[in-house]
Amino acid sequence: MASISVNDVAAAAGVSVGTVSNVLNRPDKVSPGTVARVQAVIAELGFVRNDAARQLRAGRSRSLGLIVLDVANPFFTDLARGAEDRAAEDGLAVLLGNTDDNVAREAAYLDLFEEQRVHGVLISPLGDIGERLNRLRARGTPTVLVDRQTEDRSFSSVAVDDIAGGRLAAQHLISLGRTRLAFVGGPNSIRQVVDRLSGARLAVAEHSSVSLEVVDTDALSVLAGRAAGQQMLVRAPGDRPDAIFAANDLLAIGVLQALNMRGDLHVPRDIALIGYDDIAFAAAAVVPLSSIRQPSVLIGYTAVDLLLREAQGGDEFEHEQIVFQPELVIRESTAS
Amino acid sequence: MASISVNDVAAAAGVSVGTVSNVLNRPDKVSPGTVARVQAVIAELGFVRNDAARQLRAGRSRSLGLIVLDVANPFFTDLARGAEDRAAEDGLAVLLGNTDDNVAREAAYLDLFEEQRVHGVLISPLGDIGERLNRLRARGTPTVLVDRQTEDRSFSSVAVDDIAGGRLAAQHLISLGRTRLAFVGGPNSIRQVVDRLSGARLAVAEHSSVSLEVVDTDALSVLAGRAAGQQMLVRAPGDRPDAIFAANDLLAIGVLQALNMRGDLHVPRDIALIGYDDIAFAAAAVVPLSSIRQPSVLIGYTAVDLLLREAQGGDEFEHEQIVFQPELVIRESTAS
DNA sequence: CAGTCAAAATGAAACGATTCATTTTAAGCT
DNA sequence: AGCTTAAAATGAATCGTTTCATTTTGACTG
């Protein structure tokens, strides 16, 4: 069955294709009678615009691309929600790409979005993709970095100060009187992990009696956290840290699950635990989890807003770096 | 800056556009020397295929549409993951649409996908959209219903037997000796809610001494669960149920948070609690949550598989209804 | 009634990749 | 050299929408 085109509609309504297009896009330029007639025919034939043809003509699509590390992480679904809300205000759709911390997948999504001529790209970048992004920009596709600041101000970005966040978390643990801290996180290819650790190091450096060990994980997931937690359990009690800062809440929840498997270990009595992101499930954990809160929905909303302004402003737009400050949320897992 | 097209590449490489297209799509039909020369020019000019033009010519896009109730629900992100995996095997992308239990948004996504001429649609339907889906099918776009069976076998579907699941949950609570059950869930426009409740009713009907009350919620979220839980707290102790079956884990977690606010109420001692979906966070809850497990990733994978087979099979494809059986997972929240 | 002018309608051209019937090239054989 | 054939390359036509320079319509004026 051949699909219905504007030509078919025009023929059936006894008008030209130009008029059909005008009814669709500028009904005020067409006499009311004609509008009604054409719309009736559209309904009757079941005509639906072909978006590919529109895009071809327009030169760009009406979608934004959003590339995140992990859609299973509530932090990113919240962020995506904010982005979607802002995009919808301008009639744009959001295409969601999930890299799973994999550089190849990141490249694949960038290729896809480039072929689709998306309206703009929001990305929480992984690999060294400055050149890719410059190419996109040369084609007129604005880009905003999410959850990451650029050193050189060549891109707009919306981020949270992860160094400050890491510092907050470690300072809090130290203020409880803990002295043998452990940072659980990884891999180091993720900038957020590195920054949160640096922040923690800053706080630790201010106290000569406090040590910080690093327990590396190969992902930021509940599973990876559980593995890290189990690794702590097999150690001699005196050799264990008395406070753990996990690079995100998923890890923290995993660590908590592992620690809880032994009845004799108690959080926070024996080991205090703090996560990062303050996802909705943190408050509902076995031991309600202290965390560092980021305004996830707002980050997504702001990022799209910035993207659209950049798209408007054209080449001479002054790139803008927006940085939100994180916030400490204290719950039972670090009660004194 | 004008964008680079196959014409520019052809001119620069001294070949025809047809040859450039062949290099892109059927390199074996072109002599090795020419392939190399054209690819060199492509790299040099930074040519990127325009997907809109390809789609226009091809008549359909290389994406699938997936419409779900709530991307913030881990059940659906797991399902989406499975769908993405299977789609990637055939070089297809997945567009994710989030309805938030809103019929208007569901319609908007269907419009969008129809205009995009997507390869196929996976949908967990809300409103009465049989006609819309028939129109899609008439255009040659196959549709598979996810997490929902059709009564009339006119569509393929992949679902879990929610009535059996509801029954399992209630039977389990009854087997603990509980007699005043409450079902927390809503709204009734969501079929999963209705089925899980029916299943529970079946189990309750087998025991004359057991009662079942229904506490309606206006969403399947942690927040709605918390509200429902608070509503139980204000009642007189003797008036409270001794077991709660929540329509999904998000609700259950919310209920749990509310009940825990009172130090004197203990789960499961005073009130046993079971959820549904067995999301990753269920095991990590304050009181590890019993739940009904669904093979979420597999559901998504299977749904896309079915969709692709239906696309292959053409009009005469026998619609297939696949039903998975749910599984009871017992944890501390219903320990006896 | 001729003349003016805005509103309405027209239809060819353009967007960029793919297809396929045709032509060109080059290798192999007598 | 002449002939056959397969491989390689060609380029016009096509997909469906939008745009815009042009034409048509019809209402109104002096």
Side-chain angles (χ1 to χ4, degrees):
Chain A
M1 82 142 232
S3 121
I4 314 285
S5 77
V6 276
N7 272 295
D8 304 318
V9 173
V15 297
S16 72
V17 289
T19 299
V20 175
S21 179
N22 280 333
V23 169
L24 257 18
N25 301 300
R26 292 180 223 78
D28 49 305
K29 295 272 168 236
V30 181
S31 72
T34 309
V35 170
R37 190 152 36 97
V38 171
Q39 281 176 341
V41 172
I42 287 177
E44 191 197 340
L45 299 184
F47 164 77
V48 173
R49 287 231 260 301
N50 184 322
D51 202 49
R54 296 184 79 187
Q55 281 184 207
L56 175 57
R57 188 72 238 265
R60 50 170 45 195
S61 88
R62 285 163 26 260
S63 310
L64 305 179
L66 169 58
I67 300 181
V68 300
L69 284 175
D70 177 15
V71 274
N73 185 340
F75 169 73
F76 285 113
T77 53
D78 286 350
L79 190 154
R81 165 69 55 104
E84 212 179 357
D85 288 348
R86 180 65 187 84
E89 288 175 15
D90 279 41
L92 297 167
V94 173
L95 307 177
L96 191 60
N98 187 209
T99 62
D100 269 330
D101 185 28
N102 178 334
V103 179
R105 290 187 55 137
E106 176 178 67
Y109 272 113
L110 278 172
D111 284 343
L112 183 69
F113 290 161
E114 207 170 346
E115 289 190 2
Q116 305 234 35
R117 303 291 193 269
V118 292
H119 211 86
V121 171
L122 303 179
I123 183 169
S124 180
L126 260 182
D128 186 14
I129 52 172
E131 204 190 324
R132 288 295 301 269
L133 299 183
N134 277 321
R135 193 169 87 189
L136 265 176
R137 181 148 60 189
R139 173 172 282 115
T141 306
T143 304
V144 168
L145 307 184
V146 227
D147 206 23
R148 164 128 176 198
Q149 317 162 51
T150 34
E151 311 72 29
D152 59 356
R153 316 201 144 241
S154 61
F155 285 97
S156 286
S157 61
V158 179
V160 173
D161 188 342
D162 278 320
I163 297 183
R167 189 170 190 159
L168 267 179
Q171 271 169 346
H172 174 56
L173 295 176
I174 294 170
S175 77
L176 301 174
R178 309 292 166 134
T179 56
R180 297 193 313 282
L181 308 197
F183 174 85
V184 173
N188 283 330
S189 55
I190 300 180
R191 201 255 341 153
Q192 285 87 331
V193 172
V194 176
D195 280 5
R196 290 167 196 177
L197 174 56
S198 321
R201 286 218 163 97
L202 287 178
V204 168
E206 292 168 3
H207 301 264
S208 58
S209 57
V210 177
S211 67
L212 177 69
E213 88 174 281
V214 175
V215 178
D216 200 52
T217 63
D218 42 61
L220 294 172
S221 63
V222 175
L223 224 61
R226 214 177 292 163
Q230 265 149 1
Q231 193 184 317
M232 317 240 97
L233 287 182
V234 298
R235 300 206 210 155
D239 194 31
R240 290 188 199 124
D242 57 9
I244 295 177
F245 169 29
N248 79 358
D249 284 346
L250 299 182
L251 280 176
I253 286 172
V255 169
L256 190 57
Q257 284 180 356
L259 298 184
N260 265 333
M261 279 173 193
R262 293 219 357 188
D264 60 333
L265 249 179
H266 185 261
V267 173
R269 191 193 58 207
D270 303 306
I271 302 186
L273 177 64
I274 186 166
Y276 205 108
D277 288 344
D278 194 30
I279 62 177
F281 300 104
V286 180
V287 180
L289 202 62
S290 296
S291 194
I292 304 293
R293 178 179 295 164
Q294 314 196 66
S296 42
V297 178
L298 185 61
I299 292 173
Y301 189 95
T302 310
V304 173
D305 198 66
L306 194 51
L307 188 73
L308 295 175
R309 279 194 280 140
E310 181 142 355
Q312 285 267 303
D315 270 359
E316 285 318 304
F317 184 80
E318 187 75 23
H319 300 303
E320 204 172 323
Q321 279 81 33
I322 297 177
V323 179
F324 289 104
Q325 286 305 311
E327 195 183 325
L328 174 65
V329 178
I330 302 178
R331 296 205 183 85
E332 223 178 296
S333 74
T334 61
S336 41
Chain B
M1 82 144 234
S3 117
I4 314 285
S5 76
V6 276
N7 274 295
D8 304 316
V9 173
V15 298
S16 71
V17 289
T19 300
V20 175
S21 178
N22 280 333
V23 169
L24 257 19
N25 301 298
R26 294 179 220 79
D28 49 306
K29 294 272 170 235
V30 181
S31 73
T34 310
V35 170
R37 190 152 36 97
V38 172
Q39 281 176 339
V41 172
I42 288 177
E44 192 196 340
L45 299 184
F47 164 78
V48 173
R49 289 225 261 298
N50 184 320
D51 203 49
R54 298 184 76 188
Q55 281 184 207
L56 174 57
R57 188 72 238 268
R60 50 168 46 192
S61 87
R62 282 157 34 256
S63 310
L64 304 179
L66 168 59
I67 299 180
V68 300
L69 284 174
D70 177 16
V71 273
N73 184 339
F75 169 73
F76 285 113
T77 52
D78 285 351
L79 191 153
R81 166 69 55 102
E84 213 179 357
D85 288 348
R86 179 64 187 85
E89 289 175 15
D90 280 40
L92 297 167
V94 173
L95 306 177
L96 191 59
N98 188 208
T99 63
D100 270 329
D101 186 29
N102 177 332
V103 180
R105 290 186 53 135
E106 176 178 65
Y109 271 114
L110 277 172
D111 284 344
L112 183 69
F113 290 161
E114 206 169 348
E115 289 190 1
Q116 305 235 35
R117 305 290 194 270
V118 292
H119 212 86
V121 171
L122 302 179
I123 184 169
S124 180
L126 260 180
D128 187 13
I129 51 171
E131 204 189 322
R132 287 294 301 271
L133 299 184
N134 277 323
R135 192 170 87 189
L136 265 177
R137 181 147 61 189
R139 173 172 282 115
T141 306
T143 304
V144 168
L145 308 183
V146 225
D147 208 23
R148 165 127 177 200
Q149 315 161 54
T150 34
E151 312 71 32
D152 59 355
R153 315 203 146 242
S154 62
F155 285 96
S156 286
S157 62
V158 178
V160 172
D161 187 342
D162 278 319
I163 298 182
R167 188 170 191 161
L168 267 180
Q171 271 170 345
H172 173 56
L173 295 176
I174 295 169
S175 77
L176 301 173
R178 310 291 166 133
T179 56
R180 299 193 311 283
L181 308 196
F183 175 85
V184 173
N188 282 331
S189 55
I190 300 179
R191 200 255 341 153
Q192 285 87 332
V193 173
V194 176
D195 279 6
R196 289 167 196 177
L197 175 55
S198 320
R201 285 218 163 96
L202 288 178
V204 168
E206 292 168 3
H207 301 264
S208 58
S209 56
V210 176
S211 67
L212 178 71
E213 89 173 281
V214 175
V215 178
D216 201 50
T217 63
D218 42 60
L220 294 173
S221 62
V222 175
L223 223 63
R226 215 178 290 163
Q230 265 148 1
Q231 194 184 315
M232 316 239 102
L233 287 182
V234 299
R235 299 206 211 154
D239 194 31
R240 289 188 200 125
D242 57 10
I244 296 178
F245 169 29
N248 79 0
D249 285 346
L250 298 182
L251 279 177
I253 286 172
V255 168
L256 191 55
Q257 284 180 356
L259 297 185
N260 266 334
M261 280 175 194
R262 295 219 353 185
D264 61 332
L265 248 180
H266 185 260
V267 174
R269 191 193 58 209
D270 304 306
I271 301 185
L273 177 64
I274 186 167
Y276 206 108
D277 287 345
D278 193 31
I279 63 178
F281 301 103
V286 180
V287 180
L289 201 64
S290 296
S291 194
I292 304 292
R293 175 177 298 164
Q294 315 197 65
S296 43
V297 178
L298 185 61
I299 293 173
Y301 189 95
T302 309
V304 172
D305 198 68
L306 194 51
L307 187 73
L308 295 176
R309 279 194 280 140
E310 182 143 352
Q312 285 268 303
D315 270 358
E316 285 316 307
F317 184 81
E318 187 74 27
H319 300 303
E320 205 172 320
Q321 280 80 32
I322 297 177
V323 179
F324 289 104
Q325 286 305 312
E327 197 183 322
L328 174 65
V329 178
I330 303 177
R331 297 204 182 85
E332 222 178 295
S333 73
T334 61
S336 41

